Amino acid sequence: MTSSSPSQDTKRLAHAYPEGLRADALMEEDVAWSHEIDGERDGDQFDRSERAALRRVVGLSTELEDVTEVEYRQLRLERVVLVGVWTTGTAQDAENSLAELAALAETAGALVLDGVIQRRDKPDAATYIGSGKAAELRDIVLETGADTVICDGELSPGQLIQLEDVVKVKVIDRTALILDIFAQHAKSREGKAQVALAQMQYMLPRLRGWGQSLSRQMGGGRGGLATRGPGETKIETDRRRIREKMAKMRREIAEMKTGREVKRQERRRNKVPSVAIAGYTNAGKSSLLNRLTGAGVLVENALFATLDPTVRRAETPGGRLYTLADTVGFVRHLPHHLVEAFRSTMEEVGDSDLILHVVDGSHPTPEEQLAAVREVIRDVGATDVPEIVVINKADAADPLVLQRLLRVEKRSIAVSARTGQGIAELLALIDDELPRPAVEVVALVPYTHGKLVARAHAEGEVLSEEHTAEGTLLKVRVHEELAADLAPYTPVSA
């Protein structure tokens, strides 16, 4: 293939056009192009506008079309190695704790590759597991191809930095992992605000800067052409902004708490007893709520699948109304940031008349679950509320474990929310344990005052009811306010 040189093209152009038209011909591509000159060139020739435009390169898109592939990509975002420090208890306790950390990591969307435990009297102040073990952990990370290390404990900012310097991949602790799960699962406005506040509280002392982020900002004095003081560093600016956002979040949560308190006061005014469902995460609290009330709450075999509290109306076998509230699940070493942020939600437990403490009967160590939940209940000041231990998943539990729990926990019952086993007995137990109205009244209510009869059924306990020619003869236990309303209809014989 022959091609003309630039000097030859210039000579031809000069011969074809007079002197005054050469510049115009060079600027106008449609005039400058000729088959004789350009027809032999390789490839497509583009106009100036096409050359300057963005051109799509085919075959680079990674958009997922298959639903199963989308789900796989969502659940396998990071490849992680777990590391724990065994300070107290048995080796089995340490392994159970690391197994729970693995379940948390999978819930957050990670693929667990390996897990190691270091036996120490206390965590190393510098690298959590010691410099030698940190180097060994680096070898494990290289061997497995992991991109994240998760520690089964809360690391100080210094431990986080120094361990990352050794293993050369991202390091997070148990607290950050739980906060990430909460951030994924929070749906309501209040839940999102509470999680955001907890994340900022955790992040504030762990802010780090690289390079320019530690430089001084212009400022100080009253302005002017140059700064009259060193100003504040970028990291100080970030901290100040985080504190301002935290103050705003606290105000928003306080406003939401007011709305929750108004609803609670309305229930108190109507003398409606309340029952709170509390328990370890994935113990089956939402399943039990659905079984008792038909609430239709999300049920999933995952940790912290539901975070937003749900309150539903329920009725005892005797016809008494009460409310049933599903609360956020608890876990061992629940971050104190979350306890503080979710305090308004957890007040449902403290203000209830009865706690249904749900425990997973099929778990290897249900006693540890009971202890962890009771620790959080103690933190929110609900130790005086009566408690019924509901041993869930009885259909999948070891019979010896069930017998042991029923023997140790005096106020307990074994149920299965999946099959319905023991639910009728649980409802009867709730009816017995709910606080009963103090005043017993006998009243002959005229048929024209049917609202009083309805209130007696809704707010009190109807002991007997008889329909006579004069009206409805009731024998009920009610609160003082309703007793005063029924007093004018007390029969003379009574």
Side-chain angles (χ1 to χ4, degrees), residues 4-309:
S4 57
S5 65
S7 60
Q8 291 175 335
D9 292 346
T10 304
K11 290 178 181 178
R12 292 176 185 176
L13 191 64
H15 178 74
Y17 294 99
E19 183 71 24
L21 298 178
R22 288 177 192 169
D24 295 339
L26 288 170
M27 295 299 294
E28 296 178 6
E29 295 184 15
D30 57 338
V31 176
W33 187 90
S34 68
H35 180 75
E36 180 183 0
I37 298 173
D38 302 304
E40 298 177 349
R41 293 181 178 174
D42 295 333
D44 296 331
Q45 305 300 311
F46 297 98
D47 292 338
R48 182 178 293 108
S49 60
E50 291 177 335
R51 287 200 306 268
L54 292 174
R55 279 179 285 165
R56 188 177 301 278
V57 180
V58 180
L60 296 184
S61 175
T62 60
E63 183 178 2
L64 302 180
E65 297 180 357
D66 186 8
V67 175
T68 58
E69 192 177 357
V70 173
E71 292 175 348
Y72 182 85
R73 176 74 62 88
Q74 180 183 3
L75 293 175
R76 297 292 180 259
L77 294 179
E78 294 188 52
R79 299 163 62 85
V80 302
V81 170
L82 311 179
V83 56
V85 172
W86 169 24
T87 56
T88 59
T90 64
Q92 186 63 43
D93 294 337
E95 292 177 3
N96 289 339
S97 181
L98 206 66
E100 183 177 88
L101 186 68
L104 288 168
E106 290 181 357
T107 300
L111 175 63
V112 179
L113 303 177
D114 205 350
V116 293
I117 298 174
Q118 162 71 351
R119 182 70 173 96
R120 299 179 64 92
D121 294 334
K122 61 180 180 179
D124 183 66
T127 59
Y128 183 67
I129 55 175
S131 57
K133 295 302 178 185
E136 292 182 23
L137 179 62
R138 169 61 179 165
D139 295 337
I140 294 174
V141 169
L142 287 174
E143 180 184 348
T144 58
D147 49 31
T148 305
V149 171
I150 304 179
C151 297
D152 191 16
E154 185 168 346
L155 302 186
S156 67
Q159 289 173 324
L160 200 66
I161 294 172
Q162 295 191 52
L163 189 56
E164 277 190 351
D165 289 341
V166 177
V167 300
K168 306 301 182 184
V169 295
K170 181 175 68 175
V171 176
I172 63 174
D173 57 13
R174 183 187 181 95
T175 300
L177 179 62
I178 294 176
L179 287 172
D180 180 77
I181 296 172
F182 271 59
Q184 292 182 44
H185 292 179
K187 303 300 181 188
S188 68
R189 179 168 170 259
E190 183 176 11
K192 290 179 180 178
Q194 289 168 331
V195 172
L197 176 60
Q199 285 180 317
M200 286 186 284
Q201 286 175 326
Y202 174 81
M203 187 193 312
L204 188 60
R206 291 171 173 80
L207 284 181
R208 286 180 282 171
W210 292 270
Q212 292 296 323
S213 60
L214 291 176
S215 62
R216 296 285 181 179
Q217 304 298 300
M218 295 185 66
R222 289 192 170 187
L225 296 179
T227 62
R228 292 181 175 82
E232 61 182 357
T233 62
K234 176 67 166 57
I235 199 168
E236 289 170 343
T237 305
D238 292 340
R239 284 174 179 155
R240 177 167 47 81
R241 288 175 177 170
I242 288 177
R243 291 190 186 99
E244 291 172 356
K245 288 183 179 179
M246 286 170 60
K248 180 182 177 182
M249 285 292 180
R250 288 193 179 99
R251 288 194 297 269
E252 291 181 358
I253 292 173
E255 293 173 359
M256 299 174 199
K257 179 182 177 181
T258 302
R260 187 180 295 279
E261 183 63 29
V262 168
K263 295 178 182 177
R264 205 176 289 137
Q265 289 178 354
E266 183 69 14
R267 293 197 294 267
R268 289 197 202 104
R269 188 178 66 83
N270 292 327
K271 309 296 182 183
V272 178
S274 61
V275 178
I277 302 177
Y280 213 78
T281 180
N282 207 31
K285 299 183 300 300
S286 298
S287 300
L288 185 63
L289 178 70
N290 290 343
R291 174 65 70 171
L292 294 176
T293 66
V297 178
L298 169 68
V299 173
E300 186 177 352
N301 185 21
L303 305 184
F304 301 112
T306 52
L307 296 181
D308 304 316

Side-chain angles (χ1 to χ4, degrees), residues 296-338:
V297 178
L298 169 68
V299 173
E300 186 177 352
N301 185 21
L303 305 184
F304 301 112
T306 52
L307 296 181
D308 304 316
T310 304
V311 180
R312 291 291 183 268
R313 175 175 169 172
E315 187 174 327
T316 65
R320 297 174 61 198
L321 294 178
Y322 64 96
T323 60
L324 199 60
D326 181 18
T327 60
V328 63
F330 303 145
V331 73
R332 276 181 295 186
H333 313 301
L334 189 68
H336 64 277
H337 307 295
L338 282 174

Side-chain angles (χ1 to χ4, degrees), residues 307 380 432:
L307 296 181
V380 298
D432 294 337

Side-chain angles (χ1 to χ4, degrees), residues 284-451:
K285 299 183 300 300
S286 298
S287 300
L288 185 63
L289 178 70
N290 290 343
R291 174 65 70 171
L292 294 176
T293 66
V297 178
L298 169 68
V299 173
E300 186 177 352
N301 185 21
L303 305 184
F304 301 112
T306 52
L307 296 181
D308 304 316
T310 304
V311 180
R312 291 291 183 268
R313 175 175 169 172
E315 187 174 327
T316 65
R320 297 174 61 198
L321 294 178
Y322 64 96
T323 60
L324 199 60
D326 181 18
T327 60
V328 63
F330 303 145
V331 73
R332 276 181 295 186
H333 313 301
L334 189 68
H336 64 277
H337 307 295
L338 282 174
V339 175
E340 288 300 319
F342 278 77
R343 186 167 293 275
S344 63
T345 301
M346 294 177 180
E347 285 175 357
E348 293 285 352
V349 178
D351 290 341
S352 62
D353 297 302
L354 180 66
I355 296 177
L356 296 184
H357 185 165
V358 183
V359 61
D360 183 358
S362 63
H363 193 270
T365 56
E367 290 86 357
E368 292 184 7
Q369 290 192 353
L370 288 168
V373 173
R374 282 170 177 159
E375 183 179 350
V376 180
I377 289 176
R378 186 166 54 251
D379 290 342
V380 298
T383 53
D384 296 332
V385 182
E387 175 191 70
I388 297 176
V389 176
V390 181
I391 307 168
N392 193 23
K393 306 182 184 179
D395 55 322
D398 186 347
L400 295 178
V401 175
L402 288 180
Q403 292 176 12
R404 186 178 73 240
L405 288 174
L406 291 171
R407 184 176 64 253
V408 174
E409 299 294 336
K410 302 305 180 185
R411 293 155 56 88
S412 59
I413 184 172
V415 304
S416 172
R418 186 176 67 87
T419 64
Q421 172 189 343
I423 296 298
E425 293 82 356
L426 176 60
L427 288 171
L429 189 57
I430 292 174
D431 195 3
D432 294 337
E433 295 291 338
L434 282 177
R436 300 187 176 278
V439 184
E440 185 173 319
V441 176
V442 177
L444 182 61
V445 183
Y447 291 119
T448 55
H449 292 72
K451 287 185 177 180

